[in-house]
Amino acid sequence: MDGRDLVRSMKTVGSAGVAQGLRTVRAAWRRRRADAAALPPRGAERARVPGAVREVEPGPGGGVVRFGRSELRVLVAVNGAVFWGWDGAGPEPSYALAGRCPEPDPRAVLEPDKDGGWRVVAERATVAVSRHGAVEVRTPGGVVLRHDLPPRWWEPAGGGPARWTQRSRVAADARFFGLGGRSTGPRLRDGTYRLWNSGPGPAGAVGGDAAPVTMPVQMVVADAGTHLLFHDTSWDGTVALREGEEGAGSGHDRPGCSVLRMDGGPLRCWVMVGTPARVLLSWASLTGAPALPPTWALGHHHAGSGLGDEQDVRRVVAGHQERDLPLDAVHLGVGHADARRVFTVDEERFPKLPVLAEELRREGVRLVSAVEPQVVAAPGDAVYDEGTRGDVFVRDAAGAVVRGVGRAGEVVFPDVTHARVREWWGGLYEERLGQGFAGVWHDLDEPTSFAAFGESTLPRSARHALEGRGGDHREAHNVYALCVARAGYEGLRALSPDERPFVLSRSGWAGLQRYGGTWSGEGAADWAGLRAALARVMGLGLCGVPYSGADVGGSEMTLSPELYLRWLQLAAHLPLFRTHAGPRAGGREPWEFGAEVLGHARVVLVGRRRLLPYFVTLAHLARRTGAPYVRPLWWQAPEDRALRDCEDAFLLGDCLLVAPVLRPGADRRAVRLPRGRWYDVVTERAYEGPAQVLVDAPVDRIPVFARAGAVVPVRGEGGAPELEVWAPARGRTGGGLVVADAGDGWVEAEIERYVSRWEGRRVVVERSGEDGVSEPSCPVRVRGLAERSAQM
């Protein structure tokens, strides 16, 4: 923390700024003193490379290749994923895996390769190991997708964890995506990205480096194929990416490059090869199926950091109802809690919160509570005293409980890397349910200090259980929020077994999707922040986290009416649709922008509610397949280079293409269309792809297109489900999958398969099943029959 951070912290906490700032400075000094004592300088180091191959040991699904100074274990799992680990590292233990490592594929064997190397041939990929430790991933046809040079370790002469570097090459035409979603774009440009979960930063900070969710997950898309690479280590590190260039240097291709540098942890990774859909299916089978959100969580949420009491909540809900604005959930920030007691509502401002929650639930509105994974260090507080007796708080290397700075002063942190502590912490959510809350959102769960602006509030030397293995915060930091999410999800499921939990996390790591979703944290309230919101949601989806979103308008400053509308229009097509208002965000309720904006906002909110059945379908499909709701345009055609480079539009499932307006003053925009026929959903004009078209984008709407033949479940005029079918091209068929809403419980919903086709002069829609063809289960409305084609 420097002087500028201290000034910001004082401004943030208002009149108590001086005291809070001093506490923050003291906490930072304690952290550095603890680290200096427990983590001495590395001193002299010895560099090491694998050396030459000495022997091999075949085993189930692969085997072990031993080199002069290391060994490499290669394993092909039955789900098609390939694992390799250096220095004896195995797939377990791992916070990313949903359970045990998948069984090895008995068909995969370790066999000799050319030039003294070895290889393991699998159905979807071949992994070749050179005699000096280079590793190649090849397609079944032999095309190289990735070439990892022999790794290099630097080991402290006095002992301790080794830092390491892995350099890799990919095709010159390859594009990088992933890393947990970055604000610079879904496509990761040349640069260095840090892999360390960061807390909230100053307003306007939109960079490619700091992020609340970081994952060492790369999805690489090239002409030859798509592969996902996951380095399973949670330590601090960086990855430097450089795209390749075709015909560079005397006409030779310059390959793309990835350089991963980690401060410690095992050097192990998983690789999945195939189409994007197949890759994410394998990833979901490895790291866990995405949690299915309750149906109401797919509607409109409103977060109010300035909702100071019950009257404020009633005012916001009534404001939406009086103006016919759909509202499904209200999120209360930490201000609704007693400042000195965790899991205790401020009864002076919310004297009858359970009554209010029940009244709102009857009106179709749920309450969601903000929870921070910290406990005020106040003897006499029930939770603090109970946690102290149970020894659940994080301690430093000397054995003392670590104290950080929270909103109400000094706080301590539960060590959620211990199963016993997670069970205890999850049990505390009983108070949230007793107050009538339907779900929780975890804030400052990196963990970070309230006033430290991105700096971890725990020293790197702090000790953690790490499931009984023991370790320090260097290893635990990135998975801390993942463990908080697990504690909340499992606690809510045990306390309310008949309802699906709703857990939203600011931070997380690989596997977060098992417990819920995330939002992009505090973003800039400008056009760059709008673009960053889309980039992060798309990037998270490609890392296996399908349910995410961004607060409309960020969290700072007052928005212009135009930016507010454009942000609202984009957010209404993202999985998590949450608007935000409060003292720091300025006026954000739609009616505060004037009658014209209110009218346009009503259209957006009503449109989102109309698409609710489609979002329900996408949620169930994500649960089954791992496919994100929001997909890049190249999802079904990764070989199309024009689509790979398109970042300002996206597919919403298989049926819709959304082209948000991301620049001020625009009333028209160019849209890149994939192959096939596409209909403008407003004008019903047909466009033939692949092509780039120029379409109207007036302030009251953004361009949205429907794929010809698509079957889209929507809410009809009276709220009943309806199938909106877009006429297929003549001579072709279409179709779609529909999952009916089975409520917020655990009933396994049925997938309905529909086929649309021309029969004479009319479009016929049939439901296809094991028993043959039948009539649709709800009314059908066919659109696009006029077939007005645009002149290209």
Side-chain angles (χ1 to χ4, degrees):
M1 165 171 286
D2 57 22
R4 288 175 296 179
D5 292 327
L6 178 57
V7 170
R8 282 196 296 266
S9 69
M10 292 180 178
K11 290 181 178 178
T12 300
V13 295
S15 60
V18 174
Q20 189 80 327
L22 291 175
R23 280 194 293 264
T24 301
V25 170
R26 285 197 298 267
W29 177 77
R30 288 198 300 263
R31 285 195 302 272
R32 292 173 182 173
R33 186 178 65 171
D35 287 344
L39 303 175
R42 297 182 65 90
E45 295 179 317
R46 292 189 295 263
R48 173 168 62 91
V49 294
V53 66
R54 294 172 49 193
E55 61 178 353
V56 298
E57 180 183 332
V64 177
V65 182
R66 294 190 174 91
F67 299 85
R69 291 177 290 278
S70 186
E71 68 177 35
L72 175 68
R73 176 183 301 179
V74 181
L75 167 71
V76 178
V78 291
N79 67 347
V82 180
F83 169 85
W84 69 77
W86 287 94
D87 284 356
E92 300 177 27
S94 170
Y95 279 102
L97 269 59
R100 300 299 304 272
C101 173
E103 293 295 318
D105 186 344
R107 299 170 298 176
V109 295
L110 185 64
E111 60 186 30
D113 196 20
K114 60 184 179 180
D115 299 329
W118 294 82
R119 68 182 183 183
V120 179
V121 180
E123 179 183 3
R124 303 174 194 168
T126 296
V127 178
V129 183
S130 79
R131 67 177 185 269
H132 290 294
V135 180
E136 278 188 352
V137 179
R138 305 170 184 162
T139 68
V143 179
V144 177
L145 294 177
R146 189 179 195 94
H147 180 90
D148 284 6
L149 298 174
R152 182 181 293 269
W153 294 267
W154 286 267
E155 299 169 330
R163 58 188 180 93
W164 51 266
T165 295
Q166 178 68 73
R167 298 177 181 272
S168 309
R169 294 197 297 260
V170 297
D173 65 279
R175 297 291 181 260
F176 297 100
F177 301 86
L179 298 185
R182 297 291 172 144
S183 61
T184 51
R187 172 182 158 195
L188 301 174
R189 299 306 207 279
D190 295 1
T192 300
Y193 301 86
R194 190 180 181 192
L195 300 172
W196 184 258
N197 290 347
S198 305
V206 180
D209 190 27
V213 179
T214 64
M215 301 180 190
V217 178
Q218 297 178 27
M219 181 174 279
V220 185
V221 185
D223 289 353
T226 299
H227 72 275
L228 182 147
L229 182 82
F230 167 52
H231 282 93
D232 192 356
T233 177
S234 60
W235 285 63
D236 193 3
T238 62
V239 58
L241 301 177
R242 188 192 68 192
E243 293 182 348
E245 184 179 353
E246 294 179 298
S250 301
H252 297 285
D253 289 351
R254 187 192 72 191
C257 181
S258 168
V259 181
L260 181 66
R261 295 182 173 89
M262 302 300 295
D263 287 348
L267 203 175
R268 58 182 181 176
C269 65
W270 288 88
V271 177
M272 281 133 269
V273 177
T275 65
R278 182 180 288 273
V279 161
L280 283 184
L281 177 61
S282 297
W283 178 246
S285 70
L286 183 70
T287 61
L292 187 64
T295 300
W296 59 263
L298 297 169
H300 171 215
H301 302 239
H302 185 72
S305 58
L307 300 179
D309 55 28
E310 289 187 11
Q311 295 306 313
D312 286 338
V313 176
R314 292 183 185 278
R315 174 187 58 79
V316 167
V317 174
H320 282 79
Q321 293 174 339
E322 292 167 0
R323 296 169 177 85
D324 296 324
L325 302 175
L327 180 65
D328 298 278
V330 173
H331 293 221
L332 300 185
V334 293
H336 73 280
D338 189 321
R340 296 295 301 174
R341 299 174 186 272
V342 68
F343 291 109
T344 303
V345 169
D346 188 334
E347 295 184 354
E348 291 186 4
R349 293 182 291 120
F350 293 89
K352 298 180 180 179
L353 189 55
V355 175
L356 171 64
E358 181 58 30
E359 290 177 0
L360 296 182
R361 185 183 287 259
R362 288 197 296 267
E363 296 173 359
V365 180
R366 267 72 170 184
L367 287 183
V368 177
S369 171
V371 174
E372 294 177 353
Q374 53 188 237
V375 177
V376 176
D381 174 70
V383 175
Y384 176 77
D385 291 345
E386 182 181 338
T388 301
R389 290 192 299 270
D391 189 21
V392 303
F393 300 126
V394 175
R395 294 180 178 272
D396 62 22
V401 173
V402 176
R403 297 195 175 198
V405 178
R407 300 175 192 270
E410 288 194 328
V411 294
V412 293
F413 301 85
D415 184 7
V416 287
T417 67
H418 194 300
R420 173 179 59 84
V421 178
R422 285 196 299 271
E423 183 178 3
W424 172 78
W425 185 258
L428 297 176
Y429 287 66
E430 183 176 11
E431 188 274 344
R432 301 288 87 180
L433 295 180
Q435 293 290 343
F437 289 106
V440 297
W441 55 295
H442 294 145
D443 203 358
L444 300 186
D445 53 348
E446 288 80 5
T448 191
S449 169
F450 168 63
F453 291 97
E455 184 178 353
S456 174
T457 195
L458 291 172
R460 292 182 175 232
S461 59
R463 304 298 299 172
H464 292 268
L466 291 170
E467 315 310 323
R469 295 181 288 112
D472 58 41
H473 196 64
R474 293 175 296 178
E475 181 179 359
H477 176 84
N478 279 342
V479 298
Y480 188 89
L482 178 71
C483 294
V484 173
R486 178 179 179 180
Y489 180 87
E490 293 177 348
L492 290 173
R493 183 164 185 176
L495 293 166
S496 184
D498 295 331
E499 294 186 6
R500 300 195 297 269
F502 175 74
V503 176
L504 195 63
S505 303
R506 176 202 289 274
S507 188
W509 202 64
L512 176 64
Q513 74 277 358
R514 299 192 295 263
Y515 313 118
T518 182
W519 86 105
S520 61
E522 306 206 4
D526 54 23
W527 292 91
L530 175 61
R531 292 188 291 273
L534 173 58
R536 283 177 169 156
V537 171
M538 291 178 66
L540 283 163
L542 295 176
C543 292
V545 183
Y547 184 76
S548 67
D551 288 345
V552 171
S555 60
E556 300 285 352
M557 303 181 291
T558 300
L559 290 163
S560 69
E562 180 193 12
L563 178 56
Y564 175 79
L565 275 177
R566 293 310 193 189
W567 204 306
L568 194 70
Q569 291 160 354
L570 165 63
H573 294 91
L574 302 181
L576 171 64
F577 178 28
R578 190 169 88 160
T579 52
H580 187 273
R584 295 173 62 193
R588 290 286 171 80
E589 279 82 15
W591 53 88
E592 295 181 0
F593 288 92
E596 182 179 2
V597 172
L598 174 61
H600 297 329
R602 182 181 297 110
V603 172
V604 174
L605 295 175
V606 170
R608 170 63 179 232
R609 175 153 291 185
R610 180 175 176 274
L611 283 177
L612 185 61
Y614 186 51
F615 276 95
V616 169
T617 293
L618 295 180
H620 281 274
L621 294 180
R623 171 77 173 170
R624 288 167 168 81
T625 68
Y629 310 34
V630 172
R631 308 167 186 177
L633 293 188
W634 48 260
W635 177 256
Q636 293 180 331
E639 71 283 355
D640 189 326
R641 297 189 179 187
L643 296 181
R644 286 210 300 262
D645 293 339
C646 182
E647 301 179 279
D648 61 355
F650 60 91
L651 298 175
L652 183 58
D654 286 332
C655 299
L656 300 179
L657 187 156
V658 182
V661 174
L662 305 176
R663 300 185 182 281
D667 57 5
R668 304 194 82 194
R669 63 152 293 173
V671 180
R672 174 72 61 179
L673 297 177
R675 184 176 301 277
R677 172 170 292 186
W678 296 87
Y679 295 97
D680 185 311
V681 299
V682 174
T683 66
E684 299 192 26
R685 183 181 294 272
Y687 298 85
E688 294 294 335
Q692 180 167 283
V693 298
L694 187 63
V695 296
D696 292 333
V699 70
D700 61 331
R701 66 180 180 89
I702 58 176
V704 178
F705 299 85
R707 190 189 302 271
V711 178
V712 184
V714 298
R715 285 169 58 104
E717 293 295 335
E722 176 182 283
L723 297 182
E724 185 174 82
V725 179
W726 291 88
R730 292 282 182 174
R732 298 182 182 179
T733 61
L737 303 177
V738 176
V739 181
D741 183 10
D744 293 337
W746 299 97
V747 175
E748 193 72 17
E750 178 186 1
I751 297 181
E752 301 175 358
R753 302 176 184 274
Y754 288 93
V755 175
S756 61
R757 57 184 175 82
W758 283 96
E759 188 175 278
R761 302 184 63 180
R762 69 189 186 98
V763 173
V764 175
V765 182
E766 298 172 327
R767 181 178 175 181
S768 176
E770 296 180 355
D771 300 330
V773 175
S774 60
E775 293 292 323
S777 60
C778 56
V780 174
R781 185 163 69 101
V782 179
R783 300 185 63 185
L785 292 175
E787 295 194 49
R788 293 177 296 167
S789 297
Q791 298 298 319
M792 310 293 264

